[in-house]
Each structure stands twice: as C-alpha cells, then as structure tokens.
Amino acid sequence: MWWQIQKKKHIIGLSLGILVILAGSLLFFFHTTVRAQSGNLLQNASLETADTTGTTPAHWQSGHWGTNTVTFTYQTNGYDGSRSVSVDMSSYSDGDAKWYADPVTVTPQTTYLFQDRYKASVTTSLVAWIINTDGTSQYLPLGDLAASTDWQQAQATFVTPTNAQRLTVFHVLGAVGTLQTDAYLLEETTPLDVTDHVPNNSLEQPSDEDPAMPVGWQTDHWGTNTATFRYLQSGHTGTHSVKTEITTYTDGDAKWYYTPQLVDPETFYTFSDYYQATTQSRVIVQITKTDGSTEYINLHYAEPASTWTPYTDTFFTPPGTQTMTVFHLIAHVGYVITDDYHVTPYTPQGLTRGLVSLTFDDGWSSQYSNAFSLLKKYHDPATFYLISGKLNTSGYMTSREALNLSQAGNEVGSHTVTHPDLTTLNATALRKELKNSQQALQPTYGSVQDFASPYGRYNSQVINAIEQYYRSHRSTDAGFNAKDHFDRYNIRTQSIQVTTTLEEITAWIKAAQQTKTWLVLVFHQVDTSGESESMTPQLFNALLDVLATQKMPVVTMDQALNEMMAQL
C-alpha cells in the first residue's frame, strides 16, 4: 500500500508477534465484525460541535507532510448530521494529509474497532498512530479503501502493542483528489468468534447494535429486483439462519454474506453450508487481493430443496489473495435459506498425472487465424466447442477452417445451434438445440461426444437432456477435476478473461501438476480487441510456452475423459 511505502521509516518498535496478531485481526471495509465492550472513546465523533474558531471541529486536528498542496474544510453537510470534514489535494509528489481526533488513552494488548463513513475520489488508507509509554510513536497500516462517490463505511480491528498508551486513527489521502469523512468510532472490542474462516458461522450470535442482524454478516443486492432479508429464529443447527427472498425480478441478484476473512493464496479450499430453496441458487466466492482488486470464483449451482440440504464445493485461491467471503445467492423469484457455513483446507485426490485441456468456445474466426498456428507450433491439441448455426457467418470460422482444425488432431464439440440460455427453453426447444447441433457437426467432423453449455448456464433438466446425446458436459464452474467429486456432466474449468494474467494461469498449471488433477482452460476470442473474454495472441503464446516448460501433458477433452474414466 502506498502509505506503507511512504512511511516505512516511521514504523518502529513492532515485534513480530504484534504484527502477526495485527494481520490476523484485519477486517476492514465492512459491517460490524465484533461485539462492543465499551462506548465510543472519541470526543465529538460526529463532528457536530465546532471549536472556538468555528472553522475546526472541537477535539480534532488536521495535518499533512511531504510535498503536496492541500486544503482542509469543515463542511456543513455530513453522513449523520450537518457537519463533516474534507481534505482536497490539488498537487502531490509525496506524503499525505488527514483530519484526526485527539489521541485517547488505550490499554496495551487489547483489540480495538475503528469505523468512519467516507466519500473519496481516489484510494485512501487507514493508519493507527500509537503513542507509547516512553513517548515514541508507532504507525500501524490498517488497510486501503476504494474510491466511492457515495457514503461507505471504513472499518478495521487491530491489537495495541505492549507499550501503547494513547492512539488515534488517521484516514489519510495520499494522491490528488478529495476525501470527506464523518461518523467516527473507536472502541474496545471482543474479537468475533471465527470458525473455519467464517465469523459467526452458525449465525447464532445477534448483533448488539441490531438484534435483527447476525453479527459479522450483511446483506446486498444489485440490479432490478425486489429483495427482502430476514434473520430467522430457526436453523439447521441452533436457533438461527438467514433468508434471502426475491419477489420481483428483472436482473441482478441478492444475498447474505459474512465479513471477509484472511485466507492463503494459491490454496485449495472446500466451502460448505446447508440450505433450503424454492429456486435455483448459486455460490460465488469473492476474493480481495493485496493490490485491492476483486475477483469472483463461480462454484456450482444448487437445485431447489424443500428440506435442509448440504452444499459443498471446492475452489483454488488465485495469486495475491488476501481475504475472501462467500455469496450463496439467488437470481430468480423465490427464496433461499442458509446456515452452518464452513471454509476448510482441501487436498484433491489426484490422477496418475496432471493434465491440461485447452477448450475454445463459439468458433470465433480469431481462434483459427491466431490460435491454430500457435497450437501447431507447440504440437498441442485442443477442443473447439462450435455453435453449429454460426459457422460460415461473419466473425466465425468457416466449415473449411473447422475441418482443417479437426484434421490436424483437434476435437470438435457441440455448443448448441444458436447459443441460447438453455435453462430458459422448453423441453422441445432444448432437445433441438442439443440434437440438431450434434447432427449438423458429425457428418463433417466425426463423432461429437462432448458438449459445453452456453454462458455456463444449466440446471437439472438441462443436464438430463444433455445425457441423452453427449458423453460429457463442460460448464464454466471454477475448479480442478480430481478423482473425488468428479462429475463428467459438470467438468470444471478456469475461464480466461481479458484481466487474467500469466501469473494466474501459471499458478493453475502448477497446481494441476502438483496435485495431479485435470485443468480445463476456457478461451473465447484470441485477438487484441480487449473484449471481456478475449486473450491476446502474445499471451496465448506465453501460456503455451509455460505448458511446454513445465512439461505438462496437453490433451483434448475426449482424451482426458478416457484417461480420467479409466481411473475412477
């Protein structure tokens, strides 16, 4: 984080043990994560009372260091009243600027919670200023916060060092931009009980601030839908669970989720919970990385269930992972009730060797013009899932190009006739998309046994229909394929996006090699268009070079299935 770089020379007197405790207690940017044991230690925490000058809030100060131009303003609007404070930085070379409350007396080796509300045009940071008993200072970085045009809550918990006497927390601006803050809180807390990387994992502990909410949890929805959220007085175990219900729906989703927790990067985990639902639901892992970016890992769909039903799936955290939370969400009219969340380490049951399959969806012309020559260069076969009705149309391969691929040792699979969301079709239309695509492709390209669903969308009815025509179904659910949990009608993948880095792909390849699992990569366009699911030819070449360097076997989907099925 930028503040840590600028102020590193000021961080003094920290023992390794204190740093470990601090890192383990970082729970920032989110709803209440601990139960309060004392009141707010800050005076004039909502900034409503001015000092004698009228230009500064009482018991508050402003300051900056380094080479920058800054203006401090005592605003006449706020989050929870009529006043707030702002920092405006018009030029910047180094340093930072901030408003901060007068330091308050604290107890050593004690957990404290800090919160405020903020708006910012750029990334900002939280830093605890600790004044020790001998008069020296320590500066503890507490995390970075994303820019926001609406009021957002900043939050961090931390443990005071053994010689701490007083402290305050800076919400600092260190770039050209603006920062407005209000509604500050600093209080002693008891850390929330965390079991298997999930705070309040059985939802039994209500919030002191709002008994209608489980502590450590919050709700969210986006898109055009009407969602309600309830903290229920019944559960799978104990006496509580949470319910998400959508009564009208156009798009988006709704969910409960817990305060993100620290997890290890490049590590396999299992997620599990229990649920009841009147509609299909889905589980998505939200990853926040050390650089502040966010990544989402799509786990498998869950079918409706009238009684408590276990859900479980595995996932692999990308390089740079810092924290994670899980959404068990719905995106349809109906409800889902969940309880008993767990995130635990997972060791896949490997094959005799690791495998990689390169799969290409849709039949884009760039796959032939840009990827085919590179595949030949490295002698790697691939599987091309073709939309039969798109062949010989603008932007897609010709039938002759697809035949060239097939004759060069690549596999042709089916991706329907017109690429619809199969879950929206009636039984007759669904069968036509599956059967007619297969019948259109087989006379030219040989046996078409393997299928990939458009958009990765499927449900039990879709899978049942696929089984009538195809040997396998490849989804876009994230994961690796191991001997345990293997389902040939839900072959797991890692999807390539325009934001996917070579570092992340390399981590997937090495993980498959080390665990002897089957890694399936999904590509769309191979070009420089910058489309959301595109990859440049240069990056594709680099990926193939990593596979060659790692001596990783590259096989088609059909070849990998033969090898996998023989070992089950």
Side-chain angles (χ1 to χ4, degrees):
M1 69 183 61
W2 66 266
W3 187 92
Q4 201 167 14
I5 295 171
Q6 294 287 350
K7 297 287 284 185
K8 185 176 180 180
K9 61 181 179 293
H10 295 296
I11 301 174
I12 57 175
L14 287 179
S15 70
L16 178 61
I18 291 170
L19 282 172
V20 170
I21 293 171
L22 175 65
S25 63
L26 279 181
L27 303 171
F28 38 87
F29 318 155
F30 296 94
H31 189 74
T32 302
T33 61
V34 291
R35 296 175 67 91
Q37 300 297 312
S38 63
N40 195 345
L41 299 176
L42 302 179
Q43 297 187 66
N44 196 19
S46 289
L47 306 159
E48 296 301 299
T49 304
D51 67 3
T52 55
T53 69
T55 60
T56 300
H59 306 290
W60 284 78
Q61 306 173 48
S62 61
H64 75 114
W65 69 276
T67 305
N68 51 71
T69 304
V70 63
T71 302
F72 298 97
T73 306
Y74 187 23
Q75 300 283 5
T76 55
N77 58 61
Y79 171 77
D80 62 352
S82 60
R83 306 306 297 262
S84 62
V85 290
S86 66
V87 183
D88 185 351
M89 192 170 286
S90 56
S91 67
Y92 179 83
S93 295
D94 56 26
D96 66 49
K98 62 270 181 181
W99 285 92
Y100 59 97
D102 292 342
V104 297
T105 301
V106 293
T107 305
Q109 294 186 302
T110 301
T111 301
Y112 286 85
L113 167 68
F114 172 82
Q115 293 177 341
D116 72 17
R117 296 283 178 166
Y118 77 96
K119 297 180 182 181
S121 63
V122 294
T123 299
T124 57
S125 297
L126 299 180
V127 181
W129 174 28
I130 309 292
I131 302 170
N132 300 316
T133 53
D134 62 1
T136 60
S137 293
Q138 300 182 44
Y139 298 89
L140 306 183
L142 302 181
D144 296 338
L145 300 106
S148 176
T149 57
D150 298 319
W151 286 108
Q152 295 291 330
Q153 185 178 78
Q155 178 167 297
T157 61
F158 58 96
V159 178
T160 50
T162 54
N163 55 348
Q165 183 179 61
R166 293 183 298 144
L167 72 81
T168 190
V169 176
F170 302 150
H171 191 156
V172 301
L173 177 67
V176 172
T178 59
L179 168 64
Q180 183 178 7
T181 54
D182 195 6
Y184 283 73
L185 171 71
L186 179 66
E187 64 183 1
E188 183 180 337
T189 67
T190 299
L192 179 64
D193 180 44
V194 177
T195 302
D196 291 339
H197 295 284
V198 184
N200 195 13
N201 74 312
S202 193
L203 299 155
E204 295 301 300
Q205 190 176 6
S207 169
D208 279 354
E209 295 179 353
D210 182 0
M213 293 283 290
V215 66
W217 288 74
Q218 61 181 304
T219 62
D220 187 34
H221 79 110
W222 67 275
T224 304
N225 56 73
T226 304
T228 58
F229 305 92
R230 292 179 58 198
Y231 184 29
L232 301 181
Q233 301 299 307
S234 61
H236 172 253
T237 59
T239 59
H240 288 87
S241 58
V242 289
K243 180 178 182 179
T244 305
E245 184 167 16
I246 292 179
T247 53
T248 65
Y249 181 83
T250 302
D251 55 26
D253 66 49
K255 62 267 185 178
W256 285 86
Y257 64 101
Y258 58 85
T259 300
Q261 301 296 301
L262 292 163
V263 290
D264 294 324
E266 299 180 51
T267 302
F268 285 94
Y269 288 97
T270 295
F271 168 77
S272 65
D273 69 5
Y274 278 82
Y275 77 97
Q276 299 178 47
T278 59
T279 185
Q280 188 184 62
S281 58
R282 183 159 210 181
V283 174
I284 295 179
V285 179
Q286 177 185 275
I287 298 290
T288 302
K289 297 185 175 183
T290 52
D291 63 4
S293 63
T294 300
E295 186 169 319
Y296 298 92
I297 302 173
N298 296 328
L299 305 189
H300 71 75
Y301 291 96
E303 292 300 295
S306 59
T307 60
W308 285 111
T309 302
Y311 177 100
T312 185
D313 205 354
T314 62
F315 61 95
F316 181 76
T317 54
T321 294
Q322 183 177 53
T323 63
M324 64 156 283
T325 187
V326 177
F327 307 148
H328 194 149
L329 60 83
I330 55 173
H332 304 277
V333 170
Y335 70 76
V336 62
I337 303 170
T338 56
D339 195 6
D340 293 334
Y341 284 60
H342 297 272
V343 176
T344 55
Y346 163 66
T347 301
Q349 184 180 349
L351 306 168
T352 56
R353 62 175 185 163
L355 301 171
V356 172
S357 292
L358 310 173
T359 68
F360 295 81
D361 282 7
D362 304 337
W364 297 102
S365 60
S366 67
Q367 296 170 4
Y368 184 84
S369 59
N370 294 329
F372 185 30
S373 61
L374 294 173
L375 290 169
K376 290 190 292 184
K377 170 185 172 183
Y378 286 92
H379 308 288
D380 288 335
T383 297
F384 292 82
Y385 290 102
L386 303 181
I387 306 170
S388 62
K390 295 290 187 179
L391 288 171
N392 304 306
T393 64
S394 178
Y396 294 87
M397 292 183 205
T398 66
S399 298
R400 178 70 251 182
E401 289 170 338
L403 182 59
N404 291 342
L405 290 173
S406 177
Q407 291 175 339
N410 297 290
E411 178 189 4
V412 169
S414 169
H415 202 40
T416 71
V417 179
T418 64
H419 202 266
D421 178 347
L422 297 179
T423 66
T424 66
L425 304 183
N426 61 35
T428 300
L430 174 59
R431 285 195 301 271
K432 286 182 177 179
E433 287 288 343
L434 300 174
K435 181 180 179 180
N436 292 357
S437 176
Q438 186 180 58
Q439 290 181 340
L441 296 171
Q442 284 190 146
T444 303
Y445 310 110
S447 178
V448 175
Q449 302 184 76
D450 301 315
F451 179 81
S453 52
Y455 314 107
R457 293 285 290 122
Y458 64 88
N459 56 25
S460 57
Q461 289 75 28
V462 170
I463 297 301
N464 289 338
I466 292 170
E467 290 175 350
Q468 305 306 308
Y469 300 100
Y470 297 95
R471 180 192 188 192
S472 73
H473 164 245
R474 195 224 68 203
S475 72
T476 55
D477 295 348
F480 293 71
N481 300 284
K483 288 165 65 175
D484 56 321
H485 307 300
F486 179 68
D487 180 355
R488 64 189 172 104
Y489 286 101
N490 187 15
I491 296 174
R492 315 304 290 273
T493 67
Q494 300 291 348
S495 294
I496 302 299
Q497 307 290 327
V498 69
T499 55
T500 305
T501 64
L502 184 61
E503 178 190 22
E504 190 163 6
I505 298 168
T506 302
W508 294 334
I509 294 168
K510 290 182 177 179
Q513 187 174 52
Q514 292 165 3
T515 58
K516 296 182 178 180
T517 51
W518 175 21
L519 168 65
V520 179
L521 297 175
V522 179
F523 304 88
H524 288 81
Q525 296 98 319
V526 182
D527 56 27
T528 58
S529 67
E531 294 290 332
S532 62
E533 294 180 316
S534 66
M535 168 179 266
T536 66
Q538 293 78 12
L539 184 54
F540 185 64
N541 182 80
L543 180 162
L544 296 179
D545 190 62
V546 171
L547 288 169
T549 301
Q550 294 295 320
K551 295 181 171 56
M552 194 66 174
V554 178
V555 294
T556 66
M557 295 292 289
D558 190 57
Q559 292 167 338
L561 272 167
N562 290 338
E563 191 165 332
M564 169 72 83
M565 299 301 291
Q567 297 180 47
L568 296 180

